[in-house]
Each structure stands twice: as structure tokens, then as C-alpha cells.
Amino acid sequence: MVDTLPDIARKGRGAVSNGSGRFEPHARIKIDDGWNTAVADDDLPPLRTTVTDEHPKSVITRNQSPDIPFDRSLNPYRGCEHGCVYCFARPTHAYQGLSAGLDFETKLFAKPDAAKLLADELRKPGYKPATLAMGTNTDPYQPIEKKRGITRAVLQVLAECNHPVAIVTKSNLVLRDLDILGTMAKKGLVSVAVSVTSLDPVLARRLEPRATTPAKRLDAIAGLSGAGVPVSVMVAPVIPAINDHEIEAILDAAAGAGAGAAEYILLRLPGEVRGLFAEWLEAHYPDRAKRALGRMAGHRDGKLYEAQWGKRMTGEGSDAELLARRFQIAVKRLGLGRERAGSRRLVSAEFRPPVRAGDQLSLF
């Protein structure tokens, strides 16, 4: 028998471990070889972020989920440097032969041709416009967007052809694109949902180590609202015993910043995320770990995850009902509407396929 070494939380990263992808033929574990080679967190070299360009044939992803208010989405990036430990998209990195843990937040993939591919898809005969969602899998305004500008290029295509778009983000980088978003808002073509998980900067940094601070997310809400862009707040995810006590405070702050609507999502722990989140709790909140996991299981009939449509985002049982009631009362008190990301009815009647250089322009 060998002694395994515990995984160590790294500064600026969300996941504690980096287990092998579930499709890999071999699993690797750290062991103590008896030579005292284990190192402390402060002695570990920085874990750098790498970005690999990929060139898919298409960029619009379709879904038929009955509890999601949109049927198409676009993600300029795969993986997310924000490092949110609870991110339900983490398991998708296994399809790249990578880990849902640290690999997901350090080994990123970018789609530099996304805007061109989108324009090509929008030109196809028979294309019928409907709200395109961005930010449903990974954040379109994660840190690398500042340099790469893929999200901005996509928005320029959508703006030029009057195509509706709904954006979900945690980043105040969205304010960079107010020139585009403000113009689209005047035509009823855009809505933005800003996710605020906590107002506590310490908790936020542990949960979402490289995401925008809570204060700057509220600034993003204020900036969007001031520019006439319809903006809502997502209290997401709500985590029992960790941030559930903040529901009312988050809604108060968001309403004060100019949010017009709100929604919440209960923590989801699909696939590898269950183990990653349990590790995170033990590393950062060992005194609350057992209680938090117990309450989460109580929301889903004893399971940590329920994939059933209609229940996966809200849970069920008395505790889930209490959360829903608290949210409902606070929203009513503040005069906020209830709006899930992507559910706002946006204008699609003015859509015109993108013009390709050299195309004959229509007289009408």
C-alpha cells in the first residue's frame, strides 16, 4: 500500500485537483515516495494558462431542452479562466482528453474564426432567426477576451444583420462593448444577465478566483442599465450553507444598480463537478462541508445531482421551497421582474442575412 498525497489548493485557481479525464485509459495519483518531496502551496510554480486555437466547421450549437428558453447558443471559448469551482461545463473538457479540474481553467481553447463562421451560417438559405445565447457554457468575457476580441467580433456580425442575442456574464468587460450593445438595445436586439454569486469578496475569490469582483459586477449592471441595455441579475448558483443567506442582499444591491429583473439557479453538480466541489469545501470550509453537502442532497431526494428537466435548476422539498419563497418575496418587494437568461422576447423580424463582400445588394 502507498500513501497518497492530498491535493493542494493553488492561489488564483478554483479546482483543488486535476484528476484524469473520465475517458482516459489510465488514472494518475500523487504518492509519497518516502523522500520528502511533497511541497507546500507557496513553493509550487505558477500554473500558467495556455490557449489553443481551434477551427470548427460551425459555431452555432442547438439544443432541445424544454427547461431552457432558447434553442441555439454560441461559445467563443472552451474552458474558462474564471475558474468557478462549481461550473457545470467542467465535465466537457473530458472530450478533449483533459481534466475537469485544473485543466478546465488553465488549458483553454479559442475559436478565432467564430465571427466568419457565424456569418456563413446566418447566410444559409432557410435560416430562421431567434435569440442566440452567449455565455451559457463558458463566459464570453473571460480574461482572454480582452486580448482576443472574439466575442466583440461576433457581436459586430449580429449587430450588422439585426440578429437578437442574449448574453450571460460575470465580467465587467462587457462594458467595453457598450457601443455595440447600446445600438442593438435601441432596436430590441439584446439583453444581458450578470451573474452575482456573492457580495463577499473573500468568498467570491475562493469560488470564482479570476472572475470580476462583486463590486465591479454591480458596476457592470449600472453601466448597462445607464446605456439602455436591458439587464437582469442572476443569483447563481445558490449554495446551501455557503451563500444562500445572501439572496436578499444581492437582489437589493442589483436593483439599486439598475437591474430590471432577476432569477436564481440552485447549485448543480453534474459528473466530475460533484467530487471537485466536495474537495473545494474540505479545502476552504471544512467546518461546513458536511452540512452543505447534506443540504444539497436534501434538495434532490438524497442525491447531489438531479438531471430531470424542470427540477435540475431549482430542486424540490421544503428547503428548496423556502429558497424559492424568499426569492419571490424579495423580487416583489423590489419591483423586479422574473427573467431567466435568454427568455426576454427580442426582435427578430428585422433580421437580414450578412452581406458578403462582392454580393449584389438588394434594392429593398
Side-chain angles (χ1 to χ4, degrees), residues 185-220:
K186 292 176 182 177
K187 301 178 181 180
L189 295 171
V190 66
S191 67
V192 179
V194 177
S195 173
V196 181
T197 313
S198 174
L199 298 179
D200 178 354
V202 174
L203 173 58
R205 187 58 62 205
R206 290 173 179 172
L207 271 173
E208 309 156 334
R210 299 200 177 194
T212 300
T213 63
K216 289 186 177 180
R217 295 186 214 184
L218 294 174
D219 289 344

Side-chain angles (χ1 to χ4, degrees), residues 342-356:
S343 65
R344 177 180 287 262
R345 183 170 296 179
L346 300 174
V347 175
S348 60
E350 299 302 316
F351 169 75
R352 298 292 181 272
V355 177
R356 185 186 287 108

Side-chain angles (χ1 to χ4, degrees), residues 15-50:
V16 175
S17 66
N18 201 43
S20 301
R22 65 184 181 278
F23 302 125
E24 301 310 294
H26 304 290
R28 295 173 174 81
I29 59 172
K30 296 188 297 182
I31 65 169
D32 184 355
D33 59 7
W35 290 93
N36 297 318
T37 54
V39 294
D41 184 25
D42 292 341
D43 297 326
L44 291 170
L47 190 57
R48 304 295 185 187
T49 299
T50 63

Side-chain angles (χ1 to χ4, degrees), residues 260-288:
E263 193 51 273
Y264 79 98
I265 297 176
L266 190 65
L267 177 66
R268 299 166 56 192
L269 296 174
E272 296 94 321
V273 185
R274 275 167 280 190
L276 291 168
F277 190 74
E279 290 173 346
W280 180 88
L281 282 170
E282 289 294 343
H284 295 286
Y285 297 97
D287 58 324
R288 286 187 254 173

Side-chain angles (χ1 to χ4, degrees), residues 108 110 115 119 139 148 165 167 199 214 246 254 285 296 339 343 349 357 363:
L108 313 180
D139 201 313
R148 302 302 297 269
V165 61
I167 299 169
L199 298 179
E246 293 191 69
Y285 297 97
M296 280 184 270
E339 183 177 299
S343 65
L363 294 176

